[in-house]
Amino acid sequence: MRLISTIAEMQSFSREARAQGKSLGLVPTMGALHEGHLSLVRRACAQCDVVVASIFVNPAQFGPAEDLSRYPRNLQQDLDLLQEHKIEAVFCPPAEEIYPPGFDTTVGPGTLAELFEGASRPGHFRGVATVVLKLFNIVQPDVAYFGQKDFQQVQVVRRLVEDLNLPVRLVVCPIVREADGLAMSSRNAYLSAEERKTATILHCSLRHAERQVHGGETSTVRLVAEIRKFIEEVPGTQLDYVAIVEPLQLQAVERVSTGCVALVAARVGPARLIDNLIFGPPGETPDRLIQLAMASRLVASSEARLPGLEIDLLKKRIETCRDCAAVSAIRLPPSEFLLKYLRRDYPDLSVVRVAIIARDSPLKPENYLYHRPENGNRFTSILFEQLGVASFEEFRARFVLTDALRCHCTGPRPSERALAACAKFLPDELRLLPNLNTMLVLGEDAYGQFQRNILGRGVNEIQHFQERLGDQGWAEESVVMAALGGRNVRAIYAHHPTLGYRRSPSLASLFK
Ligand code: AMP
């Protein structure tokens, strides 16, 4: 492991690695390393040929009254910890190397950097953006590793990478916590034993909100009030902010949906601590929650030379979606559904009574229901259970899962425009099913799309999805489907089997 302190040596090290065709991962840190940092290091070592960790307590991101001078520094211990990993170099420059006399250019991140941490710590993100850009230029990594712990920082860096076309991929790693839930942080060292216990309230309050959301609460006003109450009731804490925001622009939302994030900051004794939680369906893994929050596509190693998130790329494709066939990321084009699977799996289309409209978007496209019925996936296994069918054979004897309303978007929220574009294929599919008498519409996206684009209802005529389903977890109505020549059809609405927070009860009795 090489200890590098000059920019020139770091640049020549990187040039060499790149000349050998090796992928290079960078883990930027401010030292005082703990398991949170080491989780980034481990991820980088697993994904890149050469890994560089940087240790630099960046003066530019500390305000004049902040803790720069007492920020914990323990280089030898950090090096000992890094030594245990497959790290090629540690870049550890003195402050004058990064900010020599005469230094006078900074990177001004935009509106994202004015919120939350930026509001409480003016200039903080300018310092972060400047040093991150400098580190990227010095180390020239292919992939850079950041922690979800600093959620806003991740989004500021993401904007920096996108806006300035930096040729680096970002990997975001989940928050590593102490056994009692406290997010690991170098600043936890400031806490006394008593304060250390008090500090767990940040995490407890977030978990409490998560439980509420899993129980059906979606009002962020109520959730924020609860978190606030939790923290403010504990003596020795001083709350700075609590907010529930959508993850990309960090704008407050009225209702929680998958990928939304709760952000908190509070002072406990001498330490200012931050924490966050990404909301998502119960049981999602931390990595998957990050993926949902980033509204991006995880680049699987099969296709990509490098790991990381192709941030917003897919989203952009979807926003410009004019026709499914024009989108390269499509999982199952409607024509493929009509020509291949319907013909293959439904020799007698008159058996189908129920068309299910839902997004089945398994992470691996080959696991999509009709691609490999024998494989199964989480979506189909829960769906089959809810319908009371034991196998694909039983399923196709009565049901069809329609493709047309399932947008190819892998992010949590396909745009209305994409949904409208996909919706136009549905009538053609449904017309092939002469005995169709029921539509089962699963999930909020499909519901909105069905109401707007199939039934042609206006915004004011559409009841909110969660309210419509209520405590029962499903609802039904009789609808006249112009798309089917004015036929009367029973429409049943229920929760999506895997997206969102709530699950519907068994629907089997509805289809007897
Ligand atoms: P810092 O040394 O605080 O600047 O952190 C360096 C990197 O480690 C940042 O990307 C942080 O988000 C990340 N990090 C810090 N604490 C944790 C944690 N508890 N879990 C995961 N990542 C963390």
Side-chain angles (χ1 to χ4, degrees), residues 28-31 34 36-37 39-40 61 71 145-150 153 173-177 183-186:
T29 80
M30 297 208 299
H34 49 67
H37 299 112
S39 72
L40 310 190
Q61 70 189 68
Y71 194 84
Y145 292 81
F146 290 88
Q148 179 202 327
K149 161 81 184 352
D150 297 273
Q153 170 174 282
C173 300
I175 304 176
V176 177
R177 298 178 179 282
M184 288 193 183
S185 162
S186 308

Side-chain angles (χ1 to χ4, degrees), residues 14 59 143 225 264 327 342 506:
S14 298
V143 193
V264 299
V327 179
L342 212 50
S506 168

Side-chain angles (χ1 to χ4, degrees), residues 301 408 426:
S301 54
H408 37 266
L426 188 71

